Amino acid sequence: MRKTLSVLTISLGLLASMTTSAEEVYIDVPGHVANCLRCHDGGDKHPVLEIFASPHAVLADPHTRFAEDGCAACHGESIDHSRLPAPAGGEPAEIAFRGPHRSDTETLNKTCMNCHAGADMMHWHGSDHDFKGMACVDCHTIHTRADPAMDHRGQIENCTSCHTKQHAEIHRAFAHPVREGQVTCTDCHNPHGGVGPSDLKTMTVNENCYSCHAEKRGPFLWEHQPVREDCTQCHQPHGSVHRDLLVQRTPFLCQQCHMGQFHPSAALSGTGLPGDDLPSGSRSLIGRDCMNCHVQVHGSNHPAGVGQTR
Amino acid sequence: MKRQNLQLSHLLPASLCLALLAPSLTTGQVTEEELSPFIARYSSVEAGLGHVSDSGSRLGRFSGFGDDGVFAVLGLDWIQAAEFDGDRPVTIRLRAEDLGLDVRTVRLDYRQHGAFGVYAEYDERSARFIDDAVTVYREQAQGQLALPANWVAATSTAGMTALLPSLQTFDVKSDRRSMAAGGDARFAERWQISTDFRQEDRDGHRAMAAMFGPTGGTPRAAFMPVPTDYRTRELDLAVNYADRRRQFRVRYHASMFDNNQPALTFANPFAAIGGWHPSAGYPDGIGQMGLPPDNTFHQLGIGGSHAWSARLNVSGEVAVGRMRQDEDFLPYTVNPVLAESIVQGLPRASLDGRIDTTAVNLRLAGRPNQRLNWTASYRLDDRDNRTPIGEFVYIGSDSQLQDAGETSSRRRYNLPYDYRDQRLRLAGNWRMAQSTRLQGAVEHRRIDRSFTARERTDEDRLELGLRRAFGQRLTAGINLEWADRSGSTYDGAVGFRAGHSEAYVDTIPGGWGELPALRLYHLADRRREGVNVNAAITPNDDWSITVQGGTSKDDFRRSEIGLVEAGNDLFAADFSYSPARHWSAHAFITHERIRSDQDGFSFRGGGFRPDDLANPDRWWQARHRDRVDTLGAGLRRLFMDERLELRADYVHADARAGIDVQSGPALDTEPLPDLTSRRHTFNLAARYQLNEQLSLRARWWFERYQSADWALDDVGPDQLADVILPGETSYNDRVNVLMLSLIHRWQ
């Protein structure tokens, strides 16, 4: 009995110290937020208080539900949880985004999409990430000043933590400057459901490439058919061991499609390497090989550019 | 109030009371002291110095560290953030990064939360490809390259005694400067309008060859600096509507490309050789190259998504567009002697090039219950090439008279390729049991093309995946892929016939240009098989390990010549360790093997040789074996009450590409050395908080890059007899970048 009384006394004392200190300056918070903050404080392993520095908690924003419902806007009312939380043997929040009591993905994503629907999120349903059961919070961090997924460098870490093949490819000798931070995943892809293949932001692969390489768009008088069709016929956009991000080393790549009489069909090998004398070596192998002469492989608009030499 | 006072463990006794009293104790207030550390938004300015030890390194290619010496470390992040309980929901932010480098960015954002936002951005990017490339050309006037006054011409570089003394250097680089502005605004509750405009100017030089010679047997070429002076403007406008069940969007996209230099004229450093008209050689020979023509692309798109019910969603996007290009044609030749021979002029003054594009992406997504979700999608990419076909009697590379004879091989027709790609896909994801998921997909893809060896290709694809959780700590899966591509009759001469006059084709034995047994790899029959196994292990809450391995094989089973087989093997593992927010580490390793086999047949020139075609000793095969190993590790740790932050990252990337060419006894082949590249990159960064406002930041970036390429290494500009090369070499360097800066922050 004495022990019970002392616990009760200490508890009430602590409670009093939290709520009635005369020197404290108080800030109004919406809903039951103050109640939540009694436990979800700065000492949490997953700190939550930075949400007050995020756009989600700008109370004067007429579209943020936090202004009206506070934490419950995303986590549900969670009455039972507020009475006795899960770590103390009680209930988890109604909608829990992390931890052992994480709610199902559909519930989590619906919570986010109550506000974040439309525009670039319009094609989320059925997109690759949705189909694979990913939740918004698998990439995004909400209770923070700056969500790493919204930062171009943090975003690369985020994406490559699952896309391990692409992670390796960006470190290859010939790659877009992703590791240098000059190009980032969302420059090309929309992870929320792109309108193009592989969740590209554009409707087709080539449209995407032309956004930085508009000089290759044409149309040209003398087209190179696979170039017109799809840049990835010859290029590996995430990185290659071959120069110019090519899928195969030239001139052998060219010879996979060009095998006409005379020089296109020649067996090029070490016999074409330079010898001790000058000049020596095969012009089909040394320097830019085929591109020593065929300099306009992406298409030529010169009336004499049939062989893409002009 | 100290943070520890709020620790859950200390509050457990109190929770008993709360359980009884809540929610009546919800006061709706928290103390400022409790929140202030978490709601503070800091602005910061960074200033310091950096030093790059060596110029022209591989690291400097895109990073801005291309030049050696000292540079300024300058950055700014000024923010006036909307306070969560403020009356004015406005955030203004000005960010400036890497101001001391040529990859700098400055961006200003203004957002009134829930109403509108606008931004303006300036961005510079630099790409350096070859430092100190060499050329014999000098810029005589804009768009005109000349040879030095004392030039000594010859039919081969061997006789060009003035070649090496005449060389001048230029950098092959590209500098992009872009300005962008845009914004978005909500109106009428559920509507939003957005716009973005970007203008990018790009200048620099490329290294391209000025080539002379009418045929593959008579070429001579010299590399020259080709200026890039491009401007691309892009505009996007969109009107969006969104409520919880339906969203739609109407958007417009325009892209306009302008090249301020449409052509480049150059002198011929070679003396005339057999097969050229005498006027084509030095000193009178001049040539002209067309540079990328101005072009435009406009696209209008309509998209929408509708939740038919809680279990069914339909979404789609339709976009129609038009590419245009109508730059005035250059003449067949700029050589006045050759031009006099022209009896059949250009069919028109410009291309009037036009491709109408239609793209459709429709998707039904269903989730009939918690166990099953499925999608059915259709995708169309149609490019209707409306460019008119013309008859061009071209003059081969400014080096011959026009041959307008009935059977001339120079009488050519441009081929405006049409393309129509359709994909139908059904996919399902079924949770068989609490811990087991089965995924499957069926896809059919049909592509129709014009003027190509195969009018139509069809590909069927099956995917199957099984994933199972073994308790809370281990999930493993296997994915299988099978695809089979075939199509209409393969006729490799379609393009050849369509591009030449009928009279000429009749003179060609067999009527083909490429060997009939050749199959282009993107059109050929192909069977693809692949398997991938993966596992995700979380031994405890601090550790995460993922492992995957896979192999795939492409069998071009009906290709006698061309790519006949390809495949790759991949092993990857990723580890992360994050015991606390003060301390995390990660590591990854990947091993890839990429292989392909291609077959060829050496068919000599000098007239049609039917005996060659019957000679099995003229076959050759190239076996490509690439191996790529990448491993990396990194850690981040906070010390001294979070006043000191340390980060370290290491990446090692090692690639080796081997090409083994084997041939029949009629040919002479020898091994090629491997192409290699090896990179070690080490990053170390430390940040020490001197006081509330000031911190010291130090960064060290070390990179060692080694590579070997037999086409470039030890190859001087006079290495080849008939091409004057730019002196390009593969990267072999070691560079240190040090940066030391002070960061001042304020609220």
Side-chain angles (χ1 to χ4, degrees):
Chain A
M1 184 64 185
R2 186 182 242 181
K3 197 172 178 182
T4 307
L5 278 174
S6 67
V7 167
L8 197 56
T9 307
I10 293 167
S11 301
L12 290 170
L14 277 171
L15 202 56
S17 72
M18 286 187 292
T19 55
T20 61
S21 171
E23 298 81 27
E24 304 286 18
V25 176
Y26 291 96
I27 298 173
D28 290 332
V29 290
H32 300 283
V33 169
N35 197 34
C36 303
L37 298 187
R38 293 188 199 287
C39 296
H40 296 284
D41 60 0
D44 256 17
K45 184 174 181 184
H46 301 292
V48 299
L49 294 183
E50 281 191 19
I51 192 150
F52 288 100
S54 79
H56 284 103
V58 175
L59 305 184
D61 179 351
H63 297 280
T64 180
R65 294 178 57 205
F66 190 84
E68 195 169 326
D69 301 326
C71 309
C74 297
H75 293 282
E77 289 194 6
S78 307
I79 298 292
D80 293 338
H81 173 69
S82 68
R83 288 191 171 129
L84 190 61
E91 293 294 319
E94 242 170 60
I95 302 174
F97 287 82
R98 296 188 193 280
H101 304 286
R102 176 170 147 149
S103 304
D104 67 86
T105 302
E106 190 182 354
T107 303
L108 299 184
N109 289 352
K110 197 176 168 187
T111 303
C112 301
M113 297 192 81
N114 278 338
C115 298
H116 298 281
D120 290 338
M121 254 79 72
M122 192 164 61
H123 299 298
W124 167 256
H125 294 289
S127 67
D128 283 351
H129 285 153
D130 174 47
F131 186 76
K132 288 176 178 151
M134 284 189 65
C136 306
V137 291
D138 289 338
C139 299
H140 291 286
T141 309
I142 312 303
H143 299 97
T144 179
R145 290 179 173 89
D147 177 5
M150 305 294 279
D151 169 75
H152 61 285
R153 291 200 171 111
Q155 179 193 104
I156 293 165
E157 284 178 28
N158 229 350
C159 300
T160 54
S161 66
C162 292
H163 296 277
T164 48
K165 188 169 189 296
Q166 286 74 14
H167 190 191
E169 286 173 346
I170 64 174
H171 286 291
R172 288 181 178 175
F174 302 93
H176 281 110
V178 176
R179 75 180 181 97
E180 291 89 348
Q182 302 300 312
V183 171
T184 192
C185 310
T186 56
D187 287 340
C188 301
H189 299 279
N190 177 355
H192 305 112
V195 293
S198 303
D199 277 331
L200 287 175
K201 292 161 79 174
T202 54
M203 297 294 283
T204 69
V205 171
N206 283 17
E207 276 179 34
N208 185 65
C209 303
Y210 297 149
S211 64
C212 289
H213 304 282
E215 76 277 8
K216 294 182 172 62
R217 183 165 49 211
F220 298 99
L221 171 60
W222 306 110
E223 300 272 16
H224 191 179
Q225 192 272 336
V227 176
R228 172 55 58 203
E229 181 169 321
D230 188 333
C231 305
T232 61
Q233 305 277 18
C234 298
H235 296 283
Q236 277 189 299
H238 295 113
S240 170
V241 296
H242 301 294
R243 59 189 180 187
D244 299 323
L245 288 79
L246 290 169
V247 296
Q248 185 56 272
R249 174 66 182 216
T250 55
F252 300 97
L253 173 64
C254 307
Q255 289 186 307
Q256 289 177 3
C257 292
H258 296 283
M259 192 62 57
Q261 194 173 8
F262 194 45
H263 76 281
S265 66
L268 300 165
S269 72
T271 55
L273 295 177
D276 295 332
D277 301 327
L278 279 178
S280 62
S282 166
R283 64 166 180 262
S284 298
L285 200 64
I286 301 304
R288 302 276 177 89
D289 48 72
C290 304
M291 276 77 72
N292 285 334
C293 296
H294 302 280
V295 293
Q296 304 275 27
V297 290
H298 294 105
S300 170
N301 205 53
H302 192 296
V306 181
Q308 283 151 349
T309 59
R310 278 286 179 270
Chain B
M1 182 186 299
K2 294 209 185 249
R3 183 166 57 82
Q4 287 86 336
N5 289 347
L6 286 167
Q7 290 291 330
L8 183 63
S9 56
H10 294 187
L11 287 174
L12 277 176
S15 67
L16 296 171
C17 307
L18 289 174
L20 296 170
L21 299 173
S24 60
L25 279 178
T26 55
T27 63
Q29 289 187 323
V30 294
T31 66
E32 188 178 71
E33 188 183 1
E34 186 183 341
L35 274 189
S36 59
F38 302 98
I39 60 176
R41 292 301 301 257
Y42 293 97
S43 297
S44 65
V45 60
E46 180 177 17
L49 288 175
H51 182 265
V52 182
S53 65
D54 297 273
S55 62
S57 67
R58 178 63 179 77
L59 172 64
R61 196 169 189 180
F62 299 112
S63 62
F65 302 134
D67 293 317
D68 60 354
V70 176
F71 65 93
V73 177
L74 284 174
L76 172 72
D77 185 0
W78 177 81
I79 185 165
Q80 184 181 307
E83 292 179 7
F84 88 94
D85 59 346
D87 296 331
R88 190 164 169 261
V90 171
T91 296
I92 309 171
R93 189 171 190 185
L94 175 65
R95 275 174 292 176
E97 292 179 6
D98 299 323
L99 291 179
L101 299 170
D102 54 7
V103 290
R104 54 183 69 88
T105 304
V106 181
R107 182 180 168 107
L108 175 66
D109 285 275
Y110 180 97
R111 175 158 298 281
Q112 183 170 324
H113 294 267
F116 72 94
V118 291
Y119 75 91
E121 185 178 62
Y122 174 77
D123 183 55
E124 277 185 30
R125 295 180 195 194
S126 177
R128 299 176 60 150
F129 298 105
I130 315 174
D131 276 4
D132 297 331
V134 292
T135 182
V136 295
Y137 286 106
R138 282 99 170 103
E139 187 167 11
Q140 190 175 45
Q142 188 181 2
Q144 289 183 25
L145 296 176
L147 294 164
N150 59 347
W151 181 249
V152 179
T155 57
S156 156
T157 55
M160 294 179 174
T161 53
L163 194 161
L164 295 179
S166 317
L167 292 174
Q168 293 196 336
T169 61
F170 68 102
D171 291 338
V172 180
K173 60 184 291 194
S174 168
D175 293 320
R176 294 173 184 250
R177 292 176 308 283
S178 73
M179 288 180 290
D184 60 83
R186 286 173 181 259
F187 65 100
E189 184 61 23
R190 301 188 189 285
W191 293 81
Q192 184 205 46
I193 186 166
S194 65
T195 182
D196 296 278
F197 174 76
R198 184 170 72 99
Q199 175 174 299
E200 180 188 88
D201 290 310
R202 183 172 158 196
D203 56 47
H205 283 101
R206 304 171 66 196
M208 295 171 77
M211 184 265 187
F212 290 85
T215 71
T218 59
R220 294 291 185 273
F223 275 80
M224 59 184 173
V226 176
T228 50
D229 188 3
Y230 304 159
R231 170 168 288 181
T232 305
R233 285 166 292 161
E234 286 191 310
L235 173 69
D236 287 279
L237 285 169
V239 178
N240 298 286
Y241 171 87
D243 64 31
R244 289 191 186 183
R245 288 193 63 191
R246 61 187 74 80
Q247 302 91 40
F248 74 84
R249 167 174 65 184
V250 179
R251 63 179 177 85
Y252 167 71
H253 169 74
S255 171
M256 290 147 286
F257 170 77
D258 295 307
N259 184 358
N260 291 323
Q261 188 151 330
L264 186 63
T265 305
F266 39 82
N268 190 348
F270 288 89
I273 61 169
W276 295 7
H277 188 273
S279 69
Y282 184 84
D284 298 323
I286 54 170
Q288 189 177 50
M289 176 191 289
L291 299 179
D294 296 353
N295 66 67
T296 60
F297 177 55
H298 297 269
Q299 189 180 57
L300 187 66
I302 298 174
S305 176
H306 176 64
W308 212 272
S309 69
R311 297 291 164 203
L312 182 64
N313 186 279
V314 57
S315 66
E317 185 100 5
V318 178
V320 291
R322 178 167 292 173
M323 299 182 197
R324 294 298 304 262
Q325 190 274 106
D326 202 23
E327 181 96 7
D328 285 348
F329 280 141
L330 299 168
Y332 280 130
T333 179
V334 287
N335 182 321
V337 178
L338 304 180
E340 275 184 27
S341 72
I342 294 174
V343 295
Q344 184 170 334
L346 291 166
R348 51 185 185 273
S350 60
L351 181 64
D352 193 18
R354 175 181 146 192
I355 300 177
D356 292 342
T357 65
T358 305
V360 177
N361 180 4
L362 300 175
R363 185 161 58 215
L364 270 174
R367 199 179 293 270
N369 54 53
Q370 288 288 331
R371 287 176 170 270
L372 178 67
N373 62 305
W374 58 269
T375 63
S377 60
Y378 170 75
R379 188 183 290 281
L380 167 71
D381 171 10
D382 182 76
R383 302 174 218 167
D384 181 12
N385 199 329
R386 310 294 291 266
T387 304
I389 297 174
E391 185 178 71
F392 295 81
V393 186
Y394 78 96
I395 287 175
S397 300
D398 294 286
S399 43
Q400 62 176 175
L401 302 174
Q402 189 185 54
D403 175 6
E406 188 73 12
T407 57
S408 170
S409 64
R410 307 300 178 196
R411 188 178 296 282
R412 299 295 293 268
Y413 304 89
N414 60 306
L415 303 179
Y417 296 105
D418 291 322
Y419 179 78
R420 187 178 175 86
D421 181 358
Q422 298 177 87
R423 271 189 254 200
L424 188 62
R425 182 180 171 90
L426 293 169
N429 186 345
W430 178 36
R431 200 173 72 202
M432 301 162 67
Q434 190 62 32
S435 58
T436 309
R437 275 189 180 276
L438 181 66
Q439 288 187 357
V442 185
E443 182 180 290
H444 178 73
R445 183 179 188 188
R446 170 182 167 169
I447 301 177
D448 295 277
R449 306 170 174 90
S450 64
F451 304 119
T452 46
R454 211 163 204 179
E455 280 188 359
R456 171 178 169 177
T457 54
D458 293 277
E459 182 164 25
D460 294 307
R461 178 187 302 272
L462 293 173
E463 295 165 16
L464 195 62
L466 182 68
R467 190 158 184 83
R468 178 159 187 189
F470 299 90
Q472 295 285 324
R473 301 295 182 191
L474 172 65
T475 306
I478 181 168
N479 296 295
L480 304 169
E481 181 193 11
W482 178 91
D484 188 56
R485 184 173 69 195
S486 59
S488 57
T489 304
Y490 194 100
D491 179 358
V494 167
F496 178 76
R497 289 196 298 269
H500 290 83
S501 72
E502 201 175 325
Y504 170 71
V505 172
D506 288 345
T507 67
I508 301 299
W512 43 260
E514 308 287 356
L515 291 166
L518 173 70
R519 294 291 179 270
L520 276 59
Y521 60 85
H522 64 296
L523 305 175
D525 284 6
R526 180 185 68 187
R527 181 161 294 163
R528 171 171 290 175
E529 291 165 350
V531 59
N532 176 289
V533 293
N534 53 74
I537 307 153
T538 47
N540 54 47
D541 289 347
D542 301 337
W543 278 94
S544 166
I545 302 167
T546 60
V547 183
Q548 68 162 308
T551 183
S552 74
K553 179 185 167 188
D554 287 352
D555 180 9
F556 297 84
R557 60 190 196 284
R558 290 188 180 147
S559 298
E560 289 180 60
I561 298 178
L563 188 60
V564 294
E565 192 172 309
N568 68 71
D569 306 317
L570 168 74
F571 170 79
D574 195 279
F575 310 86
S576 74
Y577 176 60
S578 183
R581 68 194 183 100
H582 309 95
W583 164 217
S584 64
H586 71 274
F588 69 93
I589 182 169
T590 59
H591 172 75
E592 285 179 274
R593 287 180 184 276
I594 306 160
R595 60 187 183 279
S596 64
D597 295 342
Q598 68 182 104
D599 285 356
F601 184 86
S602 180
F603 186 32
R604 286 175 294 179
F608 189 75
R609 296 168 181 254
D611 51 323
D612 268 9
L613 288 175
N615 184 357
D617 294 342
R618 301 194 68 80
W619 283 86
W620 56 267
Q621 184 183 56
R623 290 159 51 89
H624 303 270
R625 298 292 181 268
D626 301 345
R627 177 186 57 72
V628 195
D629 291 294
T630 314
L631 65 91
L635 62 87
R636 171 181 174 269
R637 180 142 198 186
L638 298 169
F639 297 93
M640 303 167 69
D641 251 356
E642 303 190 11
R643 287 173 62 200
L644 176 64
E645 179 186 5
L646 281 181
R647 279 174 182 268
D649 283 286
Y650 170 75
V651 172
H652 170 71
D654 188 352
R656 181 173 293 274
I659 305 169
D660 180 24
V661 183
Q662 302 285 335
S663 68
L667 307 175
D668 183 19
T669 55
E670 286 182 9
L672 281 166
D674 287 350
L675 302 155
T676 61
S677 67
R678 178 176 293 172
R679 175 170 65 85
H680 298 271
T681 304
F682 183 63
N683 274 297
L684 186 63
R687 183 169 168 157
Y688 180 68
Q689 194 80 38
L690 297 166
N691 56 43
E692 181 64 22
Q693 284 82 33
L694 208 58
S695 57
L696 183 66
R697 190 182 188 195
R699 284 170 283 175
W700 173 42
W701 193 337
F702 168 78
E703 186 161 301
R704 184 178 180 202
Y705 195 92
Q706 298 163 287
S707 59
D709 186 330
W710 37 257
L712 305 176
D713 297 335
D714 302 320
V715 171
D718 56 347
Q719 180 63 63
L720 296 176
D722 36 24
V723 182
I724 301 173
L725 291 166
E728 184 179 4
T729 58
S730 50
Y731 286 96
N732 279 284
D733 55 67
R734 180 196 296 257
V735 65
N736 285 281
V737 181
L738 285 169
M739 286 175 273
L740 188 64
S741 56
L742 279 171
I743 300 172
H744 174 69
R745 70 171 193 174
W746 68 96
Q747 258 185 287

